[in-house]
Amino acid sequence: MASSGIEVELLVRGHSDVGEVAREVKASERGTAVAIADLEWREMEGDDCEFHYGDGTNEAQDSDFPTVERSRLQDMLSLLGLETYQVQKLSLQDALQISSDSVRNWAPQAPRDLPWTFLRKLQALNAEARNSTTVVPDTPPDARPVEKESQVEEIVYWDTADDVSADIYSFSELPTPDTPVNPLDLLCALLLSSDSFLQQEIVLKMSLCQFALPLILPDSENHGHTFLLWALRGVTRTWWAQPPRGVGGLREDSVVLPRAPTFAFVRMEVSSNSKSQLLNALLSPGHRPRACFWHRDLSVGTGPREIADGLVEISWFLPSGREDLDLFPEPVAFLNLRGDIGSHWLQFKLLTEVSSAVFILTDNVSRKEYKLLSSMKGSATKCYFILSPCRGKRNTNLRLLGRLLPVLRVDHSHVLVKVSSTDSARFVHRLRSIVAHVARSPCRRLSLEDMAHAARKLGLRVDEDSEECQRAKARMERVTGATRGALRLQGDPGGTAAQVDRELRQAPWAGGPAGVLQDFITGLGSPSPGEKQYFLRWMEWGLAWAAHLRPRQPPEPAAALRAKPGAAADASEPSRPEPLALEHFLREMGQLYEAESCLVEAGKLPAGQRRFAHFPGLALELLLTGLPLELVDGTTLSAPLRWVTGLLKELHAHLGRRSRLVVLSALGVPGTGKSTLLNTMFGLRFATGRARGPRGAFMQLVTVAESFSQDLGCDHILVIDSGGLIAGALATAGGRFELEVSLATLIMGLSNVTVVTLADTRDIPPAVLQAFLRLEKAGHMPSYQFVHQNLRDVPVPGPKPRDRWWLLEQPGDVSRATVQADRQADGLRTLAELAFCDPEKLHVWHIPSLWHGVPPMAAVSLGYSEAIFELKRCLLENIRNGLSNPNRSVQQLIELVRRL
């Protein structure tokens, strides 16, 4: 016992000149003794003490909270304008509506603007979403409040006028319109006001921005905390997996499934070192700083948390396969508890049960802390201390720490000292070495699903445990347990009609489809909208897990984590079978409806005996909830006319008087970022990536707020995403090219405006150019914007006039050959010769690369987000000013589909 104390003393002695650390403790943390008393202290006897935390439930959670705690959350929600969303939660559709804010600056003018500003910036993958600052009109910048040295966390300002020298940073004071809001408070308030599907979208976008994700959401108002398993289940990441033996490859999976070593960082009482700052340094490869965890030195200022104490965040390090960037050879998870462990014992207890090691940051180890940590006696979790000791309490610290180390079965190597004179780089390097050593040795490895199981045992609520969610999961398991053979009508439409005819004659009008498809349709017909949405999400994931691809082996690991623009598959190579996905079930429904309609038209089936007439209505409900619906069959590149017409008729009936539509589409070669661009622009859910990108064409509906629809001139925007078009020397080879020309002609003919993504500014995809020529002959005048991404030598996003002439006058070799073939005896014809091309109005938008750095640890670049917002604003302004083709009614769209 004594020797341990001597060793710790020697470790700290070199820093005896460290002065007393000035600090301010929040009122709630000064009350830590109250929380500890609730946890049933047992008197210390001799050198041993025992800390009872009851039967696994959180006594502090079950006890009555002080009135000020209950009102603090309500006041925060009221301040942010979220109090109305406590019963009827904010939905994903609410958040994605297009309003006047979509075409103007994001600067919030009042506290109630903050949640919407945060959501819009997240939707646009803006890496500065957490930095939202209210701008008061006509207020000079120097009128903003001056930061105090004692501030602890980042804030959001909304009033820069009055004198704020009063004690606004006291934790006992609730927010008012002239005090700052902590971004973590904003996040917690927004999550508490959102339904499960908006929570999932928020977490997904935060992941793409490389923000730390919420894992345990505190809720003092309802005396409970929530483990966000469902919210995290939708986050999918890709990393380089290197097995002990054999060749490595890329692995893609939901973050809730893999088992990985996990390291928790917590604060005990007060620490002069910032956990979040230390974690960011730990996750950064030296010259490339990252800001995963929010901390006091990011952005505009600092301020106290009001409702976010008790929040647990999670982030991962994921290897890329490059030795110069990979800090660890395998995925490693890091947890961060906001607040003091004494006030949040339940969260701390969970972290000790799920982590490979726990790092405890503190300035003091007093009798109270000794009692608290002694309760961990016998725990298998490794404990490490990061101290910044105060000179005035040095002896007490060393004596109690010397007694504590053997209780926790650790030695002085588990005590790290970091003071102002410590070399930060060397300290971080040492910390990484400890993490790597623990990860290499036999240690606890849990997935988030395993952690959720531990959370349930401790009495935490798990968001995935709702009855609707579990019923939907059980139905999904029944459906996905069947094989691909259950869907028999994929492929040639002519053969489908004959097959349906045979089936109908064998069992005439004896109910609906049998087997797995019937289970799927039953799931769609659930009377509960929530259960229906849960079922669709479960189906997406269940089918993805069932068709999980083997690790891929690219020639260059790092390069393979990026999409390569312009790359084209060999048209002569036989295509591999598509993994079974949600669109196959909907396609099966469409084929049944299409074939049955053919039989009715041919007089082989009485109209009154139709069984599938309600299918378009079921599909429409999915479109209205945000699911992409197939417009053109990805296998045959054909549009099922009767099915699409039936869908649009149902849409017309549903929209009623608000049926004015603008159709916006995207075309281009694979790897040029069409789907990601649309998703970022409008918050949509089009599939992205080579393995999952669209093969035909899909559509989603975006609602325009009623308050803005008159100004914009439409009620909804129908967004169409297409599969990649063949590029390169094989572009005009084989019959597929003609199908792609028909696809491009249909999509551009339906669209008010088309975004064409380019792999090279000098070469339009041949199918697009051919479609331009056909539409011109038909008298159709398409409106379009060209987008070129990943241009390395263009630092400023936006339209570049000089590239108009490259595109108009200098077609590439493939485009030239295509135009010559179409022109026949007329000789070469360029895009500039087309009647609808105006060089002065043609825009070639240069969009910076999506990633800032090397994936999977790269964040979305700020330049990409800003350029996408400018493009979106330009498109909406063109629609509002009538520069694009005039809007159409749904009925007009139906006629266009039939004609094209």
Side-chain angles (χ1 to χ4, degrees), residues 21 50 189 412 557 595 697 721 821:
V21 179
E50 199 170 347
H412 68 278
D721 184 24

Side-chain angles (χ1 to χ4, degrees), residues 633-713:
D633 189 319
T635 302
T636 63
L637 290 188
S638 62
L641 178 62
R642 297 166 185 83
W643 171 246
V644 173
T645 301
L647 277 174
L648 293 177
K649 285 181 178 178
E650 290 287 340
L651 178 63
H652 179 68
H654 175 82
L655 296 181
R657 63 180 182 84
R658 301 197 69 220
S659 62
R660 294 176 302 165
L661 281 181
V662 164
V663 182
L664 185 148
S665 62
L667 290 165
V669 297
T672 51
K674 304 180 308 302
S675 305
T676 302
L677 182 147
L678 294 175
N679 291 347
T680 306
M681 199 180 297
F682 297 108
L684 304 177
R685 297 180 53 218
F686 291 120
T688 59
R690 273 187 192 284
R692 300 182 310 278
R695 297 181 63 174
F698 287 80
M699 57 184 175
Q700 280 191 258
L701 192 68
V702 181
T703 301
V704 178
E706 286 198 51
S707 58
F708 187 53
S709 62
Q710 194 63 36
D711 188 19
L712 189 61

Side-chain angles (χ1 to χ4, degrees), residues 515-550:
V516 64
L517 184 59
Q518 182 57 56
D519 284 338
F520 177 77
I521 293 171
T522 302
L524 298 187
S526 170
S528 165
E531 185 173 338
K532 186 183 305 181
Q533 284 187 274
Y534 277 120
F535 173 67
L536 290 170
R537 293 292 172 93
W538 277 120
M539 282 293 299
E540 290 181 77
W541 301 328
L543 293 170
W545 300 331
H548 195 64
L549 299 176
R550 294 180 179 180

Side-chain angles (χ1 to χ4, degrees), residues 374-433:
S374 293
S375 66
M376 295 176 59
K377 181 179 180 181
S379 172
T381 304
K382 299 180 177 66
C383 284
Y384 292 84
F385 292 89
I386 299 178
L387 301 178
S388 181
C390 301
R391 181 168 51 189
K393 299 183 179 180
R394 175 172 172 270
N395 292 335
T396 303
N397 282 341
L398 294 176
R399 184 178 69 255
L400 291 173
L401 190 58
R403 296 172 61 188
L404 183 61
L405 295 183
V407 173
L408 300 179
R409 294 185 296 179
V410 298
D411 57 26
H412 68 278
S413 65
H414 286 236
V415 180
L416 310 176
V417 176
K418 186 179 186 300
V419 292
S420 57
S421 60
T422 303
D423 186 302
S424 296
R426 292 182 62 184
F427 185 83
V428 170
H429 178 74
R430 184 180 178 191
L431 202 55
R432 283 195 195 123
S433 300

Side-chain angles (χ1 to χ4, degrees), residues 484 543 547 549 576-581 583-584 691 695:
R484 169 182 284 271
L543 293 170
L549 299 176
R576 293 178 296 176
E578 274 187 281
L580 196 62
E583 60 261 27
H584 292 90
R695 297 181 63 174

